[in-house]
Amino acid sequence: MTPNAPSGFFISFEGGDGAGKSTQIQVLAKTLRKAGREVVLTREPGGSPGAEAIRKLLLEGSADKWSPLTEALLMYASRADHLERTIIPALARGAVVITDRFADSSMAYQGLAGELGEDAVSTLYTLVVGAQAPDLTFILDLPVDEGLKRSGSTGDAEQRFESKGTAYQEKVRQAFLEIAKREPERCAVVSAEGEIMDVAARISAVIQTRYPTLLNR
Ligand code: TYD
Protein backbone atom coordinates (compact mmCIF):
# COMPACT_ATOMS: atom_id res chain seq x y z
CA MET A 1 0.00 0.00 0.00
CA THR A 2 1.34 3.47 -0.85
CA PRO A 3 2.19 5.66 2.16
CA ASN A 4 -0.70 8.12 1.82
CA ALA A 5 -3.39 5.70 0.69
CA PRO A 6 -6.41 5.58 2.99
CA SER A 7 -6.47 2.37 4.91
CA GLY A 8 -9.63 0.93 6.31
CA PHE A 9 -10.28 -1.21 9.33
CA PHE A 10 -11.17 -4.89 9.15
CA ILE A 11 -13.45 -6.47 11.80
CA SER A 12 -14.69 -10.06 11.89
CA PHE A 13 -17.38 -11.59 14.08
CA GLU A 14 -17.07 -15.25 14.97
CA GLY A 15 -18.83 -17.73 17.22
CA GLY A 16 -21.01 -20.80 17.24
CA ASP A 17 -24.35 -21.04 15.48
CA GLY A 18 -27.03 -18.80 16.96
CA ALA A 19 -24.71 -16.50 18.93
CA GLY A 20 -26.44 -13.43 17.49
CA LYS A 21 -23.59 -12.18 15.32
CA SER A 22 -25.76 -10.63 12.63
CA THR A 23 -27.80 -8.58 15.11
CA GLN A 24 -24.67 -7.30 16.84
CA ILE A 25 -23.09 -6.43 13.51
CA GLN A 26 -26.11 -4.27 12.63
CA VAL A 27 -25.88 -2.42 15.95
CA LEU A 28 -22.14 -1.83 15.60
CA ALA A 29 -22.52 -0.66 11.99
CA LYS A 30 -25.06 1.94 13.11
CA THR A 31 -22.71 3.20 15.82
CA LEU A 32 -19.77 3.48 13.42
CA ARG A 33 -21.84 5.21 10.74
CA LYS A 34 -22.96 7.76 13.33
CA ALA A 35 -19.27 8.40 13.97
CA GLY A 36 -18.89 9.21 10.26
CA ARG A 37 -17.38 5.97 9.02
CA GLU A 38 -18.18 4.24 5.75
CA VAL A 39 -19.14 0.72 6.82
CA VAL A 40 -19.30 -2.29 4.49
CA LEU A 41 -21.22 -5.26 5.89
CA THR A 42 -20.48 -8.67 4.50
CA ARG A 43 -20.54 -12.36 5.40
CA GLU A 44 -18.98 -15.76 4.87
CA PRO A 45 -19.36 -18.11 3.23
CA GLY A 46 -20.38 -15.49 0.68
CA GLY A 47 -19.91 -11.75 0.41
CA SER A 48 -19.40 -11.52 -3.37
CA PRO A 49 -21.49 -12.96 -6.23
CA GLY A 50 -19.13 -15.89 -6.81
CA ALA A 51 -18.75 -16.62 -3.11
CA GLU A 52 -22.53 -16.53 -2.61
CA ALA A 53 -22.87 -19.20 -5.32
CA ILE A 54 -20.36 -21.36 -3.43
CA ARG A 55 -22.27 -20.69 -0.16
CA LYS A 56 -25.31 -22.52 -1.51
CA LEU A 57 -23.18 -25.58 -2.28
CA LEU A 58 -21.78 -25.53 1.25
CA LEU A 59 -24.81 -24.87 3.43
CA GLU A 60 -27.54 -26.94 1.82
CA GLY A 61 -27.80 -30.72 1.86
CA SER A 62 -26.75 -33.52 4.18
CA ALA A 63 -24.02 -33.22 6.81
CA ASP A 64 -21.76 -35.69 4.96
CA LYS A 65 -22.25 -34.14 1.53
CA TRP A 66 -18.57 -33.08 1.25
CA SER A 67 -15.35 -34.69 2.40
CA PRO A 68 -13.50 -32.61 5.04
CA LEU A 69 -10.88 -31.57 2.47
CA THR A 70 -13.40 -30.58 -0.20
CA GLU A 71 -15.43 -28.61 2.34
CA ALA A 72 -12.36 -26.63 3.42
CA LEU A 73 -11.32 -25.99 -0.20
CA LEU A 74 -14.79 -24.66 -1.01
CA MET A 75 -14.69 -22.40 2.07
CA TYR A 76 -11.32 -21.07 0.98
CA ALA A 77 -12.36 -20.71 -2.68
CA SER A 78 -15.26 -18.53 -1.55
CA ARG A 79 -12.94 -16.60 0.81
CA ALA A 80 -10.45 -15.87 -2.00
CA ASP A 81 -13.21 -14.38 -4.14
CA HIS A 82 -14.66 -12.46 -1.19
CA LEU A 83 -11.27 -10.93 -0.40
CA GLU A 84 -10.50 -10.04 -4.02
CA ARG A 85 -13.88 -8.60 -4.96
CA THR A 86 -15.26 -7.12 -1.75
CA ILE A 87 -12.92 -6.83 1.24
CA ILE A 88 -9.65 -5.60 -0.25
CA PRO A 89 -11.26 -2.92 -2.48
CA ALA A 90 -13.34 -1.60 0.46
CA LEU A 91 -10.33 -1.42 2.79
CA ALA A 92 -8.31 0.31 0.07
CA ARG A 93 -10.81 3.15 -0.09
CA GLY A 94 -10.77 3.55 3.70
CA ALA A 95 -13.97 1.78 4.74
CA VAL A 96 -14.57 -0.22 7.90
CA VAL A 97 -15.37 -3.77 6.76
CA ILE A 98 -17.38 -5.95 9.13
CA THR A 99 -17.71 -9.57 8.15
CA ASP A 100 -20.03 -12.14 9.70
CA ARG A 101 -17.46 -14.97 9.94
CA PHE A 102 -14.01 -15.20 8.37
CA ALA A 103 -10.97 -17.48 8.52
CA ASP A 104 -11.32 -18.39 12.21
CA SER A 105 -14.51 -20.23 11.27
CA SER A 106 -12.49 -22.51 8.99
CA MET A 107 -9.92 -23.11 11.73
CA ALA A 108 -12.69 -23.86 14.25
CA TYR A 109 -15.20 -25.84 12.16
CA GLN A 110 -12.88 -27.62 9.69
CA GLY A 111 -9.52 -27.53 11.50
CA LEU A 112 -9.81 -27.87 15.27
CA ALA A 113 -13.33 -29.35 15.59
CA GLY A 114 -13.51 -31.03 12.18
CA GLU A 115 -11.64 -33.95 10.73
CA LEU A 116 -9.21 -32.05 8.54
CA GLY A 117 -6.88 -30.84 11.27
CA GLU A 118 -5.19 -27.52 11.74
CA ASP A 119 -2.12 -27.97 9.52
CA ALA A 120 -4.15 -28.25 6.30
CA VAL A 121 -6.28 -25.24 7.28
CA SER A 122 -3.17 -23.20 8.15
CA THR A 123 -1.74 -23.97 4.70
CA LEU A 124 -4.88 -22.66 3.01
CA TYR A 125 -4.85 -19.62 5.30
CA THR A 126 -1.30 -18.71 4.30
CA LEU A 127 -2.12 -19.06 0.62
CA VAL A 128 -5.40 -17.12 0.61
CA VAL A 129 -5.39 -14.67 3.53
CA GLY A 130 -1.70 -14.03 4.12
CA ALA A 131 -1.25 -10.58 5.60
CA GLN A 132 -4.91 -9.63 5.17
CA ALA A 133 -6.00 -10.76 8.64
CA PRO A 134 -8.73 -8.85 10.48
CA ASP A 135 -7.52 -6.00 12.74
CA LEU A 136 -10.06 -7.02 15.36
CA THR A 137 -12.10 -10.20 15.84
CA PHE A 138 -15.08 -10.54 18.16
CA ILE A 139 -15.76 -14.06 19.34
CA LEU A 140 -19.33 -14.18 20.61
CA ASP A 141 -19.44 -16.94 23.18
CA LEU A 142 -22.63 -18.77 24.14
CA PRO A 143 -23.47 -22.20 25.61
CA VAL A 144 -24.16 -24.61 22.71
CA ASP A 145 -27.73 -25.49 23.78
CA GLU A 146 -28.65 -21.85 23.90
CA GLY A 147 -27.17 -21.21 20.43
CA LEU A 148 -28.92 -24.17 18.81
CA LYS A 149 -32.21 -23.08 20.41
CA ARG A 150 -31.80 -19.62 18.89
CA SER A 151 -30.71 -20.77 15.41
CA GLY A 152 -32.86 -23.91 15.11
CA SER A 153 -36.08 -21.94 14.99
CA THR A 154 -35.34 -20.21 11.67
CA GLY A 155 -36.46 -23.23 9.58
CA ASP A 156 -34.37 -22.28 6.53
CA ALA A 157 -32.60 -24.63 4.12
CA GLU A 158 -29.12 -23.64 5.31
CA GLN A 159 -28.94 -26.04 8.24
CA ARG A 160 -26.08 -28.32 7.13
CA PHE A 161 -23.70 -27.30 9.94
CA GLU A 162 -26.37 -27.13 12.63
CA SER A 163 -27.25 -30.72 11.70
CA LYS A 164 -23.74 -31.97 12.59
CA GLY A 165 -24.75 -32.38 16.24
CA THR A 166 -24.16 -31.00 19.71
CA ALA A 167 -20.80 -32.70 20.37
CA TYR A 168 -19.38 -31.06 17.24
CA GLN A 169 -20.83 -27.68 18.22
CA GLU A 170 -19.22 -28.01 21.66
CA LYS A 171 -15.83 -28.66 20.01
CA VAL A 172 -16.41 -25.59 17.83
CA ARG A 173 -17.06 -23.45 20.92
CA GLN A 174 -13.84 -24.66 22.55
CA ALA A 175 -11.95 -24.12 19.28
CA PHE A 176 -12.93 -20.45 19.15
CA LEU A 177 -11.83 -19.96 22.75
CA GLU A 178 -8.51 -21.62 21.90
CA ILE A 179 -8.01 -19.29 18.90
CA ALA A 180 -8.68 -16.29 21.16
CA LYS A 181 -6.12 -17.56 23.65
CA ARG A 182 -3.51 -17.88 20.89
CA GLU A 183 -4.13 -14.37 19.51
CA PRO A 184 -5.29 -12.15 22.36
CA GLU A 185 -4.30 -8.93 20.62
CA ARG A 186 -6.53 -9.56 17.64
CA CYS A 187 -9.37 -11.40 19.39
CA ALA A 188 -11.88 -10.32 22.03
CA VAL A 189 -14.18 -12.90 23.59
CA VAL A 190 -17.55 -11.37 24.43
CA SER A 191 -20.33 -13.20 26.24
CA ALA A 192 -23.40 -13.40 23.99
CA GLU A 193 -25.72 -14.12 26.91
CA GLY A 194 -28.35 -11.60 27.91
CA GLU A 195 -30.17 -8.80 26.14
CA ILE A 196 -29.12 -7.49 22.73
CA MET A 197 -28.17 -4.06 24.05
CA ASP A 198 -26.11 -5.54 26.90
CA VAL A 199 -24.05 -7.56 24.43
CA ALA A 200 -23.73 -4.47 22.20
CA ALA A 201 -22.40 -2.47 25.15
CA ARG A 202 -19.71 -5.12 25.75
CA ILE A 203 -18.67 -4.86 22.10
CA SER A 204 -18.54 -1.05 22.15
CA ALA A 205 -16.47 -1.15 25.32
CA VAL A 206 -13.83 -3.28 23.59
CA ILE A 207 -13.61 -0.81 20.69
CA GLN A 208 -13.51 2.15 23.06
CA THR A 209 -10.57 0.56 24.90
CA ARG A 210 -8.56 -0.80 21.97
CA TYR A 211 -9.40 1.50 19.05
CA PRO A 212 -11.03 4.66 20.45
CA THR A 213 -10.37 6.66 17.28
CA LEU A 214 -12.79 4.42 15.36
CA LEU A 215 -15.66 5.87 17.37
CA ASN A 216 -14.49 9.44 17.87
CA ARG A 217 -12.92 11.45 15.16
P1 TYD B 1 -24.71 -19.25 8.53
O1 TYD B 1 -26.09 -19.54 8.05
O2 TYD B 1 -24.04 -18.03 8.08
O3 TYD B 1 -24.70 -19.44 10.08
P2 TYD B 1 -24.43 -18.44 11.25
O4 TYD B 1 -25.65 -17.59 11.31
O5 TYD B 1 -24.27 -19.35 12.41
O6 TYD B 1 -23.17 -17.69 10.91
O7 TYD B 1 -23.86 -20.53 8.13
C1 TYD B 1 -22.54 -20.57 8.15
C2 TYD B 1 -22.16 -21.97 8.57
O8 TYD B 1 -20.95 -22.30 7.90
C3 TYD B 1 -21.89 -22.02 10.05
O9 TYD B 1 -22.52 -23.16 10.60
C4 TYD B 1 -20.40 -22.18 10.14
C5 TYD B 1 -19.99 -22.74 8.83
N1 TYD B 1 -18.66 -22.29 8.36
C6 TYD B 1 -17.60 -23.19 8.36
O10 TYD B 1 -17.78 -24.35 8.75
N2 TYD B 1 -16.37 -22.79 7.93
C7 TYD B 1 -16.12 -21.52 7.47
O11 TYD B 1 -14.99 -21.19 7.09
C8 TYD B 1 -17.24 -20.60 7.47
C9 TYD B 1 -17.03 -19.20 6.98
C10 TYD B 1 -18.47 -21.03 7.92
Side-chain angles (χ1 to χ4, degrees):
M1 199 174 277
T2 52
N4 294 319
S7 83
F9 195 84
F10 186 17
I11 302 175
S12 60
F13 274 71
E14 301 279 6
D17 296 288
K21 295 186 285 21
S22 47
T23 306
Q24 292 304 326
I25 286 170
Q26 295 293 342
V27 176
L28 178 60
K30 208 169 158 192
T31 307
L32 289 167
R33 283 179 180 139
K34 261 195 213 149
R37 302 276 165 189
E38 180 198 349
V39 179
V40 172
L41 297 185
T42 186
R43 69 167 180 184
E44 288 204 349
S48 61
E52 288 289 331
I54 299 172
R55 175 185 175 93
K56 229 176 134 50
L57 298 175
L58 277 161
L59 299 191
E60 297 183 9
S62 63
D64 62 356
K65 177 178 177 188
W66 301 111
S67 77
L69 176 62
T70 308
E71 183 173 287
L73 289 169
L74 285 169
M75 289 292 178
Y76 263 98
S78 70
R79 183 161 301 129
D81 196 66
H82 185 208
L83 275 163
E84 289 163 7
R85 310 285 170 116
T86 303
I87 297 173
I88 292 172
L91 292 174
R93 64 171 190 268
V96 177
V97 174
I98 308 179
T99 183
D100 186 338
R101 298 194 181 281
F102 192 64
D104 296 321
S105 280
S106 293
M107 184 49 89
Y109 284 83
Q110 282 71 50
L112 294 166
E115 290 164 53
L116 190 58
E118 60 179 299
D119 289 354
V121 177
S122 293
T123 301
L124 294 173
Y125 179 94
T126 305
L127 182 68
V128 173
V129 179
Q132 205 60 73
D135 299 294
L136 177 60
T137 295
F138 286 103
I139 291 176
L140 295 194
D141 184 54
L142 192 67
V144 168
D145 288 356
E146 185 76 17
L148 290 178
K149 236 188 279 161
R150 287 188 194 175
S151 72
S153 54
T154 55
D156 61 19
E158 295 185 335
Q159 294 286 316
R160 213 184 125 241
F161 282 87
E162 283 86 342
S163 74
K164 290 192 181 201
T166 317
Y168 177 66
Q169 297 291 340
E170 188 55 53
K171 280 198 211 165
V172 166
R173 183 184 187 197
Q174 296 309 322
F176 279 123
L177 296 174
E178 170 64 26
I179 290 167
K181 222 194 284 171
R182 290 179 189 177
E183 291 184 74
E185 283 183 15
R186 174 173 65 85
C187 299
V189 178
V190 168
S191 166
E193 285 188 274
E195 300 295 319
I196 290 171
M197 291 323 289
D198 293 337
V199 181
R202 290 172 205 142
I203 289 168
S204 281
V206 171
I207 295 188
Q208 200 62 262
T209 306
R210 298 194 190 186
Y211 297 100
T213 53
L214 267 185
L215 292 171
N216 326 298
R217 72 165 179 188

